[in-house]
Amino acid sequence: MTVGAPLFSVILPTFDRAAYLHHAIGSVQRQTVSDFELIVVDDGGRHEVTIPDDERIRVVRLPENRGPAAARNAGLAVARGSYVTFLDDDDLFTPGRLQLALDGLERAPITVCWGRFIDGDARPGRRLDGDVSAGILDEATPTLGYAALRRDLVADFDECWQAVEDVVWWLEVAGRAPVATVESVGYLVRRHQGPRNRNHLRARIDENRRLLDELCDVFAARPRARAFRLKRIGLMAMAAGDRGAAVSAFAGSWRARRSTATAWHLVRALAGVGVGGPGHHPHPPGSDRAAAPLPAERPRR
């Protein structure tokens, strides 16, 4: 480890998930690149966070639970690394995660890797290269832990959002510098049915609707992004058993951008097939959090 400021700052927010947190921390300690600081942000948990005896790891404790955006901001406020990346407390880094980041950062000041389920097979992820500001919302935004970027390019998280703060963050960051994709898995997503702090299914539906309303000009200029967001809402509404909301969202998605997949979802919703039933998992790997069968998106915290 170098003397002084570390190469990487890893921001890890947590809220009362000690068992998962232990494994998440261990995955950072096992990195092939050892020049890092790990900032564990205890988001007002009821139980004291314990960490290994490792000078590279420290805890920032918030006096009350404020949600993932505020927790990450608290970590960023004390971060000293040249580069920043993120890890959720129920997920893992692969041992080469930070090396993948370095490989990508040689090509662009913002880089993303790919991820997979801990118990799943690796599949190609989204490729983002160059200036992606115009199309970043056209598909699922990458999980925050897929990203690594120069500290001076990191945007603060908007704390008025609890379920789509990562989407808003990506919209800001994507306009700051070019992006490079390293086509290797560096992030492992855990599937589990544990509780979600401030991020239940209804909250995700409501915030995605609010996102469309508050960024109406952005989505009006990007019909593909609007269609994707409405389809996402429709799939979440299906999972929640709200057939009417699903039909409305899928119809809106079809009007914004016609696609065979959206038409198929609309027909299923009209027929009541799959509404509130099995066949979806609340943790697809990726980001842009939603309980839905679309790949590369999952709920967090």
Side-chain angles (χ1 to χ4, degrees):
M1 181 173 177
T2 58
V3 177
L7 187 61
F8 283 97
S9 292
V10 181
I11 311 298
L12 198 172
T14 188
F15 180 74
D16 284 345
R17 289 207 290 218
Y20 292 150
L21 176 64
H22 171 77
H23 294 293
I25 291 174
S27 76
V28 181
Q29 290 181 293
R30 290 189 291 272
Q31 289 300 295
T32 58
V33 174
S34 61
D35 188 3
F36 64 80
E37 63 174 358
L38 173 58
I39 304 169
V40 178
V41 183
D42 180 0
D43 189 14
R46 292 159 295 190
H47 308 290
E48 183 177 356
V49 167
T50 59
I51 60 173
D53 183 13
D54 187 328
E55 64 179 3
R56 299 170 299 179
I57 306 173
R58 54 183 163 145
V59 175
V60 174
R61 177 169 175 80
L62 302 184
E64 59 183 6
N65 180 249
R66 296 172 55 193
R72 294 190 188 102
N73 284 342
L76 289 172
V78 298
R80 300 179 298 116
S82 299
Y83 304 109
V84 171
T85 188
F86 303 93
L87 175 63
D88 288 327
D89 63 355
D90 53 349
D91 294 337
L92 304 173
F93 280 172
T94 65
R97 168 68 190 103
L98 296 183
Q99 182 58 58
L100 292 178
L102 286 178
D103 294 344
L105 289 163
E106 290 182 352
R107 295 160 42 203
I110 304 172
T111 184
V112 294
C113 66
W114 288 347
R116 65 169 175 83
F117 288 129
I118 292 174
D119 58 350
D121 297 327
R123 298 180 181 179
R126 187 178 183 186
R127 294 176 176 86
L128 296 170
D129 290 289
D131 181 358
V132 301
S133 57
I136 188 64
L137 301 186
D138 289 354
E139 301 177 37
T141 54
T143 283
L144 292 171
Y146 293 11
L149 64 167
R150 286 195 335 233
R151 178 67 183 87
D152 62 301
L153 294 174
V154 181
D156 287 340
F157 291 85
D158 188 337
E159 297 179 19
C160 75
W161 302 98
Q162 298 291 328
V164 296
E165 80 290 339
D166 51 345
V167 180
V168 176
W169 183 87
W170 266 114
L171 184 61
E172 172 68 22
V173 167
R176 296 187 173 188
V179 180
T181 298
V182 178
E183 297 178 3
S184 297
V185 172
Y187 195 93
L188 303 178
V189 176
R190 185 187 303 276
R191 293 191 255 207
H192 65 87
Q193 298 294 337
R196 299 287 157 182
N197 179 37
R198 295 173 176 256
N199 193 31
H200 51 82
L201 183 57
R202 179 52 59 183
R204 295 197 298 276
I205 293 172
D206 291 345
E207 282 212 357
N208 273 276
R209 286 173 172 161
R210 180 180 150 211
L211 187 70
L212 285 170
D213 289 341
E214 295 198 10
L215 301 183
C216 58
D217 291 343
V218 171
F219 285 104
R222 304 177 185 185
R224 186 184 181 101
R226 178 173 176 79
F228 177 83
R229 190 62 38 193
L230 284 165
K231 182 165 64 174
R232 177 59 52 190
I233 292 170
L235 288 166
M236 288 189 287
M238 290 275 281
D242 191 340
R243 179 181 175 187
V247 168
S248 177
F250 289 138
S253 178
W254 171 260
R255 288 192 295 271
R257 180 175 180 268
R258 297 184 178 185
S259 76
T260 302
T262 300
W264 181 73
H265 288 309
L266 178 57
V267 169
R268 290 176 67 244
L270 286 168
V273 177
V275 178
H280 69 276
H281 194 284
H283 305 270
S287 184
D288 209 347
R289 299 169 303 212
L294 283 184
E297 302 205 354
R298 45 83 70 99
R300 306 302 308 138
R301 280 173 40 81

